[in-house]
Amino acid sequence: MAERLSARGLSPLHRSVLETLADLGPHAWLDLAAQVEVPEADASRVIGDLLAQGLVQVMVVHIDGRHEVVTLAPAGTAALGDIQDDMTSVQNVLLASLTKGERTQLHYMLRRVYATAARCGGVRSVPS
């Protein structure tokens, strides 16, 4: 999956930022860093990359001070759809030997592992 993202010039963090913007809407730059739980410098680099590719836009908003708000650009929405299709394709290849019931069982077990890891501070959230 990382190779597929890399071929697009993206990383899992880029994907996370795009998904956060798609799921939760526009975010102030610093709030976006907090939402994806990365240092501000990493968020700044990723947002800069996404801006350079035209996948996000930044607007300046003057409410209680000056804020730079990051929004998903139409190209970002399209790219995220392509990325999600790619991830589904990779997942289908990896899990081709499993029945539907086995996939469901694996998904359930992985969610439990992620939940335990999240409680221990090992991951930031449980995947859907």
Side-chain angles (χ1 to χ4, degrees), residues 3 33 61 72 95 103 106 118:
E3 287 177 13
V61 177
L72 195 59
L95 303 178
R103 286 183 184 203
L106 176 63

Side-chain angles (χ1 to χ4, degrees), residues 41-60:
D42 291 346
S44 180
R45 179 187 51 79
V46 167
I47 293 168
D49 293 345
L50 295 171
L51 274 168
Q53 292 183 34
L55 302 179
V56 298
Q57 301 169 353
V58 174
M59 302 179 301
V60 176

Side-chain angles (χ1 to χ4, degrees), residues 14-95:
H14 290 91
R15 175 182 164 202
S16 180
V17 168
L18 291 172
E19 287 176 339
T20 299
L21 292 172
D23 292 344
L24 304 177
H27 271 66
W29 194 295
L30 296 178
D31 291 341
L32 185 56
Q35 185 66 39
V36 295
E37 298 179 355
V38 297
E40 292 174 17
D42 291 346
S44 180
R45 179 187 51 79
V46 167
I47 293 168
D49 293 345
L50 295 171
L51 274 168
Q53 292 183 34
L55 302 179
V56 298
Q57 301 169 353
V58 174
M59 302 179 301
V60 176
V61 177
H62 294 280
I63 300 174
D64 294 331
R66 183 181 186 279
H67 301 279
E68 292 182 344
V69 177
V70 182
T71 63
L72 195 59
T77 302
L80 184 56
D82 291 344
I83 290 167
Q84 290 169 334
D85 290 346
D86 239 2
M87 297 300 113
T88 299
S89 171
V90 169
Q91 180 178 329
N92 287 337
V93 169
L94 290 173
L95 303 178

